[in-house]
Amino acid sequence: MTVKDIFETMDYGPAPESTSEAMAWIAKYDGRFGQFIDGEFTPHHDGFESRNPATGDILALVTQASSGDVDAAVTAATKAQKKWARTSGHERAKVLYAIARLLQKHSRLFAVLETMDNGKPIRESRDIDIPLVQRHFYYHAGMAQLMESELPDAEPIGVCGQIIPWNFPLLMLAWKIAPAIATGNACVLKPAEYTSLTALLFAEICVQAGLPKGVVNIVTGNGAVGEMIVTHEGIDKIAFTGSTAVGRRIREATAGSGKALTLELGGKSPYIVFEDADIDSAIEGLVDAIWFNQGQVCCAGSRLLVQEGIAEEFYAKLKARMDGLLMGDPLDKCIDIGALVDPVQHATVTKMVAKGGHEGEVYHAKCKLPNQGCYYPPTLITGLHSAAYLMQEEIFGPVLVSTTFRTPAEAVQLANNTRYGLAASVWSENVNLALDIAPKLVAGIVWVNATNLFDAAAGFGGVRESGFGREGGWEGLSAYTRPKIASKPLHPIMPVAAPKDAQITGLDRTAKMYIGGKQARPDSGYSTAIWSPKGKLLGHVGQGSRKDIRNAVEAAHGAKGWGKTTGHLRAQILYYIAENLSARGDEFAHRLNQMSGKTGGRKEVDATLSRLFTYAAWADKYDGQAHGVPIRGIALAMKEPVGVIGALCPDEAPLLGLISVMAPAIAMGNTCVLAASQAAPLAATDFYQVLETSDVPAGVVNILTGDHADLAGPMAGHLDVDAVWSFSSTDLSALIEAQSAGNLKRTWVNNAHARDWFGKDGEGREFLQQATEVKNIWVPYGE
């Protein structure tokens, strides 16, 4: 080829990366790896092959962990964690800093080994993955240093079981391990079966950095090993990144165990291009959105929504760009697209396109495919309707599906027409339009005129069936810490039984439920008598049922406009509720004394008034953040309402408990369905009279009565409820967490432990965190 030929074709010549050092490292272990437990590698025994997906060559033999290996790893972590937690933040920071520096010193080795094991292009491993890994350990070294001063009321959770996928093996390890050890936890991590090698190389780095033995343990194997970790009694927290189907099984398996849980799951992220967008820039962004890492990215922009006026031009330019993508040896620095991770994944992508491609027009890029390896061509499928199979299902490969829209409102509807909610991209030269659309998208991350921007300072995570919890940033630390709360076991508090000699005086009084701003009879047609400890009939309340929950949730959804009101307005209404409650304070105190047989009613009313003032104060002050990310731009961490929150209110504090749950929820813009104290519900049914006179919009607060055991299952299983809280004296934690798996809603349960509702543990930031989601909106600026 002459110089003239090169300039005419602009073809790249090969620029292969050497594998000699990576192969030498593998050879150091004779190509056979055991587990990394308590600071040492165990001998290799029966396991599986780790192959290069680009060539099919065997790289190493990796051990399949046994239950004994997992037990040993958990034991080592448990022993090490207590001492590591007592280590000062500064000492932990020094170790994380050492890990970050060692990752920099060996960055090329990690990048080459990652590409060999995973199949992604070396330029992605070298320029994106490994620098981000280093960034996470640097960032969390700082978090370790600051934890004692900035999070004085937080403590580590304990031993963290961490299960990571094969698409970003080392980066996912960093997302999990860095915050965990920074905050004083110990880890038992399982890398994906296909891609274990960089995790084992990282184990060496931990030893060189002086990390105490047992703080990080790495066990390898297939899904059975992950299941051992999830169900192990010695694990205090599970962090999982992977498919939604497996995440749902983990939610069910951990239900009632008391284990903390974060899930970062699948996605079907919209990539929205408006007609005023810079088309060429949007196409380049789209290449990174869907063909980065061969489309094997949970937040890949795999659903292209393009405005009708530019669709024809956009598709033509996109197809031309696709035809110019280079496929081949991932170790060639000129390559754009490497190999899928394994023949199994290649077969999955092929099967899905064959199943759903006929619903649209399929275009395969005219790229030259290598003769061997797991390669799949960049693919565009246009003309799909929003309910098409490939528009709804995550493909996890280099396949882009597309449809068109006419108006911004239609774009939002199409973007949100998915069960996922991980990420979204918005392209428009009109920043007002972009920033109008971003808050309306149901997603944990939104990129404006950009895509796939990540940083340790900005939390990553989704909503809906994309999981819950965040990784990175201040918000990510809550996944690995818990409040320092002194709790004691909570015993069931049941209604007073009917006396032998009943005192029945005055007119019959049957309190209704409160649904959609109106008093409503129970659908069941049953009622329960409420007696005082002295044998006096105080009234009757309805027995709530599944249909009452259905009606209340429907009313709560009808009041979603509450979340768009200002914090100032919500604060005014909370103050007004307190004002109206105060005017009837003596009446409520008397009612509480009647139900309890004690004299603490006035104290509870006063505490309730204070709590209303607390959350009125917070309504316009629980602000988001502007993250200092290393780009010419800003990442805005916006606090958004969770949505519809269902809650089982405390039995031991009938009025104060109800308000302690309701007030933070509505202060943050949520609507709620509250199951009143089952032991003393009349305080709640009296309270809705206060709501009726306090300008609370219909449906914002809905109050049900009845047995918590009857209400918990339908509430947690309802697919239009976004979160469920339980402070019931009946231990319903296992039931709620298991039922929540249907739509993977957030849960906050007490695991049969009491909370001091009159003290500082009954209010504060923990409640506000549970009542909000964090959406990070990335906005680059400049020319």
Side-chain angles (χ1 to χ4, degrees):
M1 179 178 287
T2 66
V3 173
K4 180 181 178 182
D5 293 334
I6 293 173
F7 274 102
E8 286 182 349
T9 63
M10 293 302 289
D11 285 340
Y12 290 92
E17 180 75 42
S18 172
T19 63
S20 58
E21 289 201 22
M23 294 305 296
W25 177 79
I26 293 172
K28 184 173 72 172
Y29 291 91
D30 197 26
R32 298 169 180 268
F33 293 91
Q35 316 296 323
F36 183 72
I37 298 173
D38 204 18
E40 298 177 350
F41 282 104
T42 64
H44 169 77
H45 56 81
D46 293 342
F48 51 92
E49 299 168 344
S50 184
R51 291 179 177 268
N52 184 332
T55 63
D57 295 340
I58 297 174
L59 297 173
L61 301 177
V62 182
T63 297
Q64 171 75 14
S66 65
S67 59
D69 292 327
V70 174
D71 287 342
V74 174
T75 299
T78 302
K79 180 180 177 181
Q81 191 272 327
K82 294 178 175 60
K83 184 177 180 180
W84 181 242
R86 292 193 299 269
T87 302
S88 71
H90 175 59
E91 291 301 317
R92 293 200 300 271
K94 289 196 294 185
V95 174
L96 271 85
Y97 170 75
I99 292 174
R101 291 290 291 123
L102 286 164
L103 285 165
Q104 286 183 312
K105 294 174 186 177
H106 300 288
S107 61
R108 203 68 163 202
L109 173 58
F110 274 104
V112 172
L113 189 62
E114 192 83 316
T115 289
M116 291 170 63
D117 205 20
N118 170 273
K120 65 176 62 186
I122 183 65
R123 64 182 181 84
E124 293 179 6
S125 299
R126 179 195 64 200
D127 299 339
I128 300 172
D129 291 23
I130 306 306
L132 274 173
V133 171
Q134 299 158 5
R135 165 72 173 145
H136 272 268
F137 280 97
Y138 272 120
Y139 180 83
H140 286 96
M143 286 298 197
Q145 181 75 23
L146 296 175
M147 182 178 174
E148 292 168 4
S149 63
E150 300 303 311
L151 298 172
D153 296 325
E155 63 182 6
I157 292 175
V159 176
C160 302
Q162 301 170 320
I163 303 167
I164 60 175
W166 41 257
N167 56 339
F168 292 92
L170 192 64
L171 183 57
M172 293 298 102
L173 176 149
W175 282 18
K176 299 287 189 290
I177 287 181
I181 65 176
T183 49
N185 300 280
C187 306
V188 177
L189 180 135
K190 188 197 89 68
E193 180 182 3
Y194 298 151
T195 54
S196 302
L197 296 185
T198 49
L200 296 170
L201 175 57
F202 177 80
E204 273 195 9
I205 294 294
C206 290
V207 174
Q208 295 174 27
L211 185 70
K213 292 182 177 181
V215 173
V216 169
N217 304 271
I218 295 173
V219 292
T220 54
N222 58 19
V225 180
E227 187 175 358
M228 294 176 200
I229 293 173
V230 167
T231 57
H232 200 288
E233 292 183 357
I235 297 289
D236 302 301
K237 182 239 170 30
I238 295 293
F240 171 77
T241 297
S243 73
T244 295
V246 175
R248 184 173 285 113
R249 289 172 55 193
I250 290 174
R251 171 70 286 178
E252 293 169 344
T254 57
S257 66
K259 291 182 173 72
L261 178 65
T262 49
L263 300 173
E264 196 269 282
L265 307 175
K268 193 71 177 178
S269 300
Y271 191 97
I272 306 169
V273 183
F274 287 96
E275 59 189 3
D276 68 339
D278 180 333
I279 292 179
D280 292 334
S281 294
I283 286 174
E284 287 306 308
L286 189 53
V287 169
D288 286 335
I290 182 59
W291 293 301
F292 172 55
N293 198 21
Q294 297 74 251
Q296 300 169 129
V297 184
C298 54
C299 59
S302 55
R303 273 191 307 146
L304 171 63
L305 309 178
V306 59
Q307 200 156 13
E308 277 189 4
I310 60 168
E312 186 176 346
E313 177 188 2
F314 192 91
Y315 289 148
K317 287 191 171 187
L318 176 59
K319 290 175 182 178
R321 182 67 179 90
M322 290 168 62
D323 292 342
L325 294 172
L326 299 179
M327 298 187 70
D329 180 3
L331 286 166
D332 185 340
K333 302 179 188 69
C334 300
I335 291 301
D336 296 308
I337 299 179
L340 296 178
V341 72
D342 189 84
V344 173
Q345 183 62 16
H346 187 277
T348 299
V349 173
T350 303
K351 182 179 178 181
M352 291 186 72
V353 173
K355 179 179 178 180
H358 69 277
E359 294 185 90
E361 181 180 335
V362 180
Y363 180 82
H364 294 297
K366 299 172 183 177
C367 301
K368 182 180 179 181
L369 268 64
N371 296 324
Q372 62 175 351
C374 303
Y375 292 92
Y376 193 91
T379 300
L380 170 66
I381 305 176
T382 56
L384 295 170
H385 57 85
S386 62
Y389 169 71
L390 293 178
M391 286 289 283
Q392 293 295 323
E393 297 299 323
E394 184 179 33
I395 302 171
F396 223 65
V399 180
L400 175 66
V401 297
S402 181
T403 192
T404 60
F405 66 89
R406 293 179 180 177
T407 66
E410 185 184 5
V412 172
Q413 288 181 328
L414 289 170
N416 292 339
N417 183 24
T418 173
R419 66 181 187 273
Y420 298 109
L422 186 52
S425 294
V426 179
W427 290 78
S428 171
E429 289 296 283
N430 183 345
V431 70
N432 291 326
L433 174 62
L435 294 181
D436 176 60
I437 295 296
K440 297 175 182 177
L441 299 175
V442 182
I445 309 103
V446 178
W447 296 293
V448 174
N449 293 330
T451 191
N452 282 341
L453 298 178
F454 310 103
D455 187 61
F460 183 92
V463 295
R464 291 181 172 174
E465 293 190 25
S466 290
F468 46 81
R470 295 292 181 267
E471 295 181 299
W474 286 100
E475 58 266 36
L477 287 193
S478 63
Y480 289 97
T481 57
R482 60 188 176 195
K484 296 177 181 176
I485 294 178
S487 63
K488 57 184 179 181
L490 182 61
H491 302 289
I493 302 171
M494 304 308 294
V496 176
K500 293 181 179 179
D501 299 317
Q503 303 176 36
I504 302 176
T505 59
L507 289 174
D508 174 75
R509 182 173 189 271
T510 301
K512 297 178 182 178
M513 300 182 187
Y514 187 65
I515 297 175
K518 300 176 182 179
Q519 298 183 35
R521 292 184 176 89
D523 188 89
S524 68
Y526 291 97
S527 296
T528 301
I530 303 299
W531 301 91
S532 77
K534 295 181 179 180
K536 182 179 180 180
L537 179 64
L538 302 178
H540 291 79
V541 296
Q543 293 183 17
S545 67
R546 180 184 300 272
K547 289 186 178 180
D548 297 309
I549 289 175
R550 177 201 65 190
N551 295 337
V553 172
E554 184 178 337
H557 271 280
K560 278 294 190 73
W562 177 251
K564 299 176 183 177
T565 60
T566 65
H568 174 59
L569 175 64
R570 297 195 294 270
Q572 284 182 296
I573 290 177
L574 283 162
Y575 283 129
Y576 195 22
I577 294 172
E579 178 185 335
N580 289 330
L581 177 61
S582 177
R584 297 176 58 183
D586 292 340
E587 174 191 340
F588 274 85
H590 177 65
R591 172 69 77 187
L592 291 168
N593 290 339
Q594 280 186 312
M595 290 188 293
S596 67
K598 300 176 182 178
T599 59
R602 186 71 242 183
K603 177 184 177 183
E604 184 168 342
V605 170
D606 290 342
T608 301
L609 294 172
S610 174
R611 195 126 306 161
L612 284 165
F613 265 63
T614 293
Y615 290 112
W618 273 118
D620 57 358
K621 299 177 185 66
Y622 191 56
D623 298 326
Q625 285 182 295
H627 289 309
V629 291
I631 64 167
R632 286 200 70 212
I634 193 169
L636 301 173
M638 311 295 290
K639 301 286 178 64
E640 296 186 338
V642 173
V644 176
I645 297 177
L648 305 179
C649 298
D651 294 312
E652 64 271 33
L655 180 63
L656 177 60
L658 177 89
I659 301 306
S660 297
V661 172
M662 179 204 79
I666 67 173
M668 296 296 103
N670 301 281
T671 57
C672 54
V673 177
L674 307 175
S677 166
Q678 58 191 353
L682 294 178
T685 56
D686 287 349
F687 178 72
Y688 65 59
Q689 299 169 11
V690 174
L691 295 176
E692 289 176 324
T693 60
S694 301
D695 295 341
V696 179
V700 171
V701 178
N702 304 273
I703 299 175
L704 308 179
T705 54
D707 192 329
H708 287 175
D710 294 336
L711 299 174
M715 184 181 287
H718 199 298
L719 297 182
D720 278 337
V721 173
D722 300 296
V724 174
W725 302 351
S726 177
F727 302 105
S728 175
S729 65
T730 303
D731 186 10
L732 300 167
S733 302
L735 172 65
I736 289 169
E737 290 180 335
Q739 290 293 318
S740 73
N743 65 342
L744 289 167
K745 60 175 64 68
R746 288 171 57 176
T747 60
W748 186 24
V749 296
N750 60 6
N751 291 300
H753 279 77
R755 182 180 289 263
D756 180 8
W757 293 103
F758 288 85
K760 65 181 181 64
D761 295 340
E763 64 179 9
R765 288 182 177 271
E766 183 183 12
F767 287 80
L768 299 172
Q769 289 171 358
Q770 293 291 342
T772 52
E773 294 282 6
V774 177
K775 174 187 284 183
N776 278 289
I777 301 176
W778 291 69
V779 187
Y781 50 72
E783 293 295 328

